[in-house]
Structures are given as structure tokens and as C-alpha cells.
Amino acid sequence: MMKLKMAAEERNEIGSGVAGQIRRTKMIPAVIYGRAQDNVHVKVDDSEFRRIHRAAGAATILGLTMGNEDVPVIIKEIQKDPVRDEILHVDFQKINMDEKLRVTLPIVLINRDSIKAQPSVLTQQLDEIEIESLPTDLPGDIEVDVSDMEIGDSISLADLVIAKNEDITLLRDLDDVICSLAEFIEEDLDALEEDDLDLDMEPELVSDEDDEDELLDEMEQD
């Protein structure tokens, strides 16, 4: 049931200083939390976690091997350095295989470069969806093939395969649009410039003599 497994080592030391020391040993500080249990602080190998994360996606059940036990978890959150490609911390959520779980899955548009209707503009309005299901029914990342879309087409949540699965509940209106395809219209920049500028208009010139005449008129009125 848990095809992906990785080793996790329990740790008693916590704090930012300790976390930095752990990362310098090519390990990642992490925590396992779950309902009605104390948080368990662990560390996992950096390279192994990256490999597992690439294969697991957002909602795959992992087995964290701790001693003789494989703890079922999902990756809930990954904290990264905004500048360097460094994973700072990972949150694992321990799951009960008999209880429904809420997760947010990314929606990935595939074959964007192979859309047959050209020229066109593809707009993605929805890039993730929250669902609820038993852990055993969790799908992987949601992929939407857009290669056969025509101009004016849109794809909604109701079009997804998982929307027809009675064991999975989508926590959003099924009419919500994921993406749409519109015709690409190239604007005539030369025409826009001519509309904005009246080329026949000439600037009004004001001479020094006109200024003097206006000043004399004001003095006479006074």
C-alpha cells in the first residue's frame, strides 16, 4: 500500500541553531504531526527526500521508516530558502488509513505547446483544488490535456475524471473553470498611434507681443 518509503531518524534537539547543524550534515529537520498525538521531531536525508518528493507529488502516501515501524504520512509542507535551492524544514502529516483526508492537489496543464488551434491564448484560472477522500483513494497530481482545445473552449472541474469518482469529493463548485482558450488578436500599433495623436493639429504659438497686449488690457480694466 505504501510503495514509497524513506528512513527517518528521531531527534530530541530542536531550535534554529540545531536545525542549522542538521542541514550542514546533508539532513533536513522535519516534524511528524497528527490528530491526538504529540509532534515527533525527526530528520531525513536531503537527497533521498528530494528523490521521494519528485516521485510522490502532493498527496502520495509515504512510509517513514522509524525502527521496525513504517509510519504512514503525506508531505504537508516544505519550507525552502527563497534564494538558494535549500530545503529548510518539512512537515509530515501522519494519517489514519480509515479516516477521510483533505488535501490540496495542483492542477497541471499538459501539452500546452501542442495546442492545435493556433494562433490562440491559453488562460489558466484554477491551478489547485482541495479534495476529500480516504487515503487509499487519493489521486496523484491532476493533469489536464489541453492539446485538443478549440477557440472558445473551456475546461471545468466537472470535466475531470476524479469529478466522476464517488469516493472523491471536490470541495469546490464543479462549474468552476480551470482553463479557457481564446483567439490571439494582434493589435495594429500603427493604427492605435494614429488614433491617439491627431497629426493635423498644430501647436498654438504665443508671441511676446500677445503677452504685452494682454497685460495692457488688464491694466486698463483696473
Side-chain angles (χ1 to χ4, degrees):
M1 186 173 296
M2 292 178 291
K3 296 181 180 180
L4 296 174
K5 297 182 181 181
M6 65 182 300
E9 182 181 342
E10 190 168 358
R11 60 188 174 93
N12 296 320
E13 303 85 0
I14 60 175
S16 58
V18 174
Q21 294 174 7
I22 292 174
R23 287 191 288 270
R24 284 191 286 273
T25 64
K26 304 301 181 182
M27 302 287 283
I28 303 172
V31 64
I32 306 171
Y33 68 89
R35 184 179 301 177
Q37 74 162 50
D38 293 333
N39 292 345
V40 179
H41 297 275
V42 298
K43 55 184 177 181
V44 295
D45 181 78
D46 187 289
S47 60
E48 185 180 13
F49 175 80
R50 291 175 186 268
R51 178 181 63 81
I52 291 292
H53 181 243
R54 285 194 296 268
T60 301
I61 303 171
L62 311 177
L64 284 186
T65 303
M66 301 177 62
N68 298 322
E69 181 184 9
D70 287 333
V71 181
V73 300
I74 61 172
I75 301 170
K76 196 64 176 178
E77 184 178 359
I78 301 174
Q79 298 177 22
K80 291 185 176 182
D81 187 289
V83 178
R84 298 175 295 176
D85 182 29
E86 181 181 16
I87 300 176
L88 303 178
H89 193 273
V90 177
D91 287 355
F92 295 104
Q93 180 181 348
K94 183 178 180 180
I95 60 176
N96 185 331
M97 303 301 288
D98 298 322
E99 292 183 0
K100 287 190 174 184
L101 187 67
R102 287 191 177 191
V103 298
T104 299
L105 300 177
I107 300 176
V108 181
L109 305 186
I110 60 173
N111 296 323
R112 301 176 68 120
D113 297 331
S114 303
I115 297 176
K116 300 172 185 176
Q118 295 296 341
S120 60
V121 177
L122 178 68
T123 304
Q124 184 170 3
Q125 289 97 327
L126 195 61
D127 57 10
E128 64 181 18
I129 176 66
E130 187 179 19
I131 70 166
E132 183 178 66
S133 74
L134 288 172
T136 50
D137 295 321
L138 286 175
D141 294 350
I142 300 174
E143 294 185 342
V144 179
D145 189 345
V146 297
S147 59
D148 292 328
M149 292 184 70
E150 299 290 343
I151 301 297
D153 283 354
S154 63
I155 298 176
S156 66
L157 291 176
D159 298 316
L160 298 177
V161 174
I162 63 171
K164 302 170 179 61
N165 189 331
E166 296 180 352
D167 297 321
I168 300 175
T169 302
L170 275 62
L171 303 177
R172 194 171 179 128
D173 193 327
L174 293 182
D175 292 331
D176 286 351
V177 173
I178 298 172
C179 61
S180 57
L181 192 70
E183 181 181 3
F184 174 75
I185 300 176
E186 185 174 2
E187 296 182 342
D188 189 341
L189 296 181
D190 292 336
L192 289 176
E193 290 177 358
E194 290 180 1
D195 289 341
D196 292 339
L197 297 176
D198 188 345
L199 300 180
D200 295 331
M201 291 182 59
E202 295 183 359
E204 181 181 357
L205 300 178
V206 179
S207 66
D208 293 339
E209 184 177 350
D210 293 335
D211 290 341
E212 292 177 359
D213 292 341
E214 183 178 347
L215 180 57
L216 289 173
D217 289 340
E218 292 178 357
M219 293 176 64
E220 291 176 355
Q221 291 177 3
D222 293 340

